[in-house]
Structure formats: C-alpha cells, structure tokens
Amino acid sequence: MLRVAALKVIAIGLAATLAMLALGPWLVPAVLGHRFSEVGGTAWIFALLGTLLALNQLLVAQRVARHDEVVAVGVWVAVAALVGVVALRPGSQVVGLVTIVLAVNAALAAGLTGRLLSRP
C-alpha cells in the first residue's frame, strides 16, 4: 500500500513540476499578477519541494505507524541542519533558501527510504 501511495505522490509531483517548468513563466503572472513575473521561471522548484514534503510526510507517517521512534531523531536532525545552514546564510535570496530546504528534504527522504528498506 505504501509503495502505491508513494508512486502516486511522485507521479502527481512530477506532473506538477513539469507543468510548472513549462507553464510557470506564463501561469504565475497570469494568476498572481505581473509583479510575480520574475518568479514564474523558478516556480518548478517550489513544485518539486512540495512533492518532497508530501513524500516525507507519507514516509514519516508510515514509520510512526510502525512505532519507529528513531525517525523522530532523523527529522529533528534535518530541522537542526536546515536551521543551521539558513542561519549561516543571512539575507539569502528566496530561491537559494528553497534550494537549501530542497536539499535537506531530499536527504531526509533518502534516510527515510533507507530506514524503510532496512526495517519494513
């Protein structure tokens, strides 16, 4: 069941990311106004981040259902790493910060997947 749910999250997220990659420069200003036109070209990275966040939420919920308390430590390590890296980069641009959040969430997803494979 988890595999099916994860594949659905990934498929929907991939579709949203590709759609924002192709349509973002047009769609973002059309929906949010021309003040946001420069964000349209990077809208895909926000869709990718949303996909990773949804996947991580699914994986954490599965581990919690299995009473795997070690996962909480991994999530807090990811939060601490994120706060530490962002604190070292004050005044960063939004896309730079999103890229950092994306990298931390990718590492968390990899760790959660590894934990899942080692302890079904």
Side-chain angles (χ1 to χ4, degrees):
M1 201 64 154
L2 177 66
R3 181 178 297 141
V4 171
L7 288 173
K8 286 180 181 180
V9 167
I10 291 168
I12 292 168
L14 183 60
T17 301
L18 291 174
M20 290 312 294
L21 184 62
L23 301 174
W26 170 82
L27 189 60
V28 170
V31 172
L32 299 176
H34 290 290
R35 294 181 309 170
F36 293 92
S37 60
E38 58 193 51
V39 180
T42 58
W44 66 271
I45 198 166
F46 292 93
L48 183 59
L49 176 59
T51 302
L52 267 176
L53 290 171
L55 183 62
N56 283 343
Q57 183 176 0
L58 178 68
L59 293 172
V60 167
Q62 190 273 342
R63 293 284 76 201
V64 167
R66 295 280 185 182
H67 304 287
D68 187 358
E69 291 90 11
V70 175
V71 168
V73 174
V75 171
W76 281 111
V77 166
V79 169
L82 182 59
V83 169
V85 170
V86 170
L88 293 174
R89 297 178 52 106
S92 295
Q93 297 293 324
V94 171
V95 174
L97 292 174
V98 171
T99 304
I100 292 168
V101 175
L102 188 67
V104 170
N105 273 282
L108 180 60
L112 289 168
T113 302
R115 185 82 178 157
L116 174 67
L117 296 174
S118 69
R119 299 188 68 153

